[in-house]
């Protein structure tokens, strides 16, 4: 150990830090894309390649050898969107990403206010708040907006006269990035048969990702909170705020007036 420490240069520490940063970014990319299954598939192919060498399976070995020879190109093609987004984040701010706590508080209030207003007016709505896992692989992206979050914009999108009111809006970071999105329907046979398409779509997406979805029922004029395939119906404003704050990583503390003894 002392021998190693004596021969370490400052360049070695920089080298280790850069390698750590690259590995960290790759792990974040894997987490955000939710492609553990894909990586498991690559692992199985790698094991198959080793087995084909051990047992002299020439045809299988030749196919897998060609595959792994072009692995770098395959990875770039599969993850081109995520790599582009990760590079953009590194270029803009390599260590700190996301939005400020003040902005997150403003977003929570605007989303909650928009959902309540939509419910009161009897509009139907699907509001998807993306968290760690990208939902791009699981939904059909509608019209790209890249708009700031405000209750007025949310309400106007879900106005029955709007051409995008039937789909969902996707909130990523501090913006409404698209509207008119279509979500995958849940295939869980245990779901209540009386649930409508919006609720089934919200459950379906949250079964595949860690997204938070607010569902506004135009028939009942009520809001449901959907997370991890579980639905909490008839949510009130405090519950909606709590779910949104927790989605952005904050502990929700409802206001409690002081009682004079």
């Amino acid at each position: 150990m002392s021998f190693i420490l004596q021969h370490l240069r400052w360049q070695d520490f920089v080298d280790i830090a850069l390698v750590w940063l690259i590995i960290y970014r790759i792990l974040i990319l894997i987490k955000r894309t939710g492609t553990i299954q894909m990586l498991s598939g690559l692992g199985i192919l790698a094991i198959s390649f080793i087995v084909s060498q051990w047992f002299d399976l020439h045809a299988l070995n030749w196919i897998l050898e060609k595959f792994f020879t072009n692995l770098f190109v395959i990875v770039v093609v599969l993850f081109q969107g995520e790599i582009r987004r990760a590079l953009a984040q590194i270029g803009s701010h390599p260590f700190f990403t996301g939005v400020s706590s003040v902005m997150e508080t403003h977003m929570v209030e605007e989303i909650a206010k928009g959902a309540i207003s939509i419910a009161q007016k009897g509009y139907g709505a699907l509001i998807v708040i993306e968290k760690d896992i990208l939902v791009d692989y699981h939904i059909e992206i509608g019209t790209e907006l890249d708009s700031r979050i405000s209750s007025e914009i949310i309400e106007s999108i879900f106005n029955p006269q709007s051409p995008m009111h039937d789909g969902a809006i996707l909130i990523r970071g501090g913006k409404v990035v698209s509207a008119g999105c279509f979500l995958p329907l849940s295939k869980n046979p245990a779901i209540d048969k009386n649930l409508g398409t919006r609720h089934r779509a919200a459950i379906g997406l949250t079964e595949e990702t860690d997204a938070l979805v607010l569902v506004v029922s135009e028939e009942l004029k009520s809001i449901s909170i959907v997370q991890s395939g579980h639905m909490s119906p008839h949510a009130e404003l405090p519950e909606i705020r709590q779910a949104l704050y927790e989605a952005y990583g904050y502990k929700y503390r409802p206001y409690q007036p002081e009682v004079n003894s």
Side-chain angles (χ1 to χ4, degrees), residues 148-177:
R148 66 183 180 86
I149 297 174
S150 73
S151 58
E152 292 82 7
I153 290 175
I154 294 174
E155 186 178 329
S156 66
I157 291 174
F158 290 110
N159 187 304
Q161 304 303 318
S162 169
M164 298 178 289
H165 77 280
D166 277 334
I169 64 170
L170 172 59
I171 295 176
R172 172 180 293 151
K175 293 186 177 181
V176 180
V177 296

Side-chain angles (χ1 to χ4, degrees), residues 233-246:
H234 306 292
E236 299 294 337
L237 182 57
E239 299 172 83
I240 297 169
R241 280 176 171 159
Q242 179 177 356
L244 289 170
Y245 273 112
E246 290 178 354

Side-chain angles (χ1 to χ4, degrees), residues 136 189 212:
D136 297 34
L212 167 70

Side-chain angles (χ1 to χ4, degrees), residues 113-150:
K113 186 166 66 173
I116 292 293
S117 177
I118 290 170
Q120 290 174 344
K121 293 186 177 182
Y123 299 166
L126 270 172
I127 303 173
V128 178
I129 294 91
E130 184 182 76
K131 295 166 70 175
D132 289 327
I133 298 176
L134 290 172
V135 301
D136 297 34
Y137 290 103
H138 306 279
I139 71 175
E140 183 180 336
I141 298 294
T143 304
E144 295 187 7
L145 296 180
D146 196 33
S147 168
R148 66 183 180 86
I149 297 174
S150 73

Side-chain angles (χ1 to χ4, degrees), residues 48-62:
S48 301
F49 179 64
I50 296 172
V51 171
S52 67
Q53 290 180 322
W54 285 351
F55 293 96
D56 294 328
L57 305 176
H58 300 294
L60 179 61
N61 181 261
W62 182 82

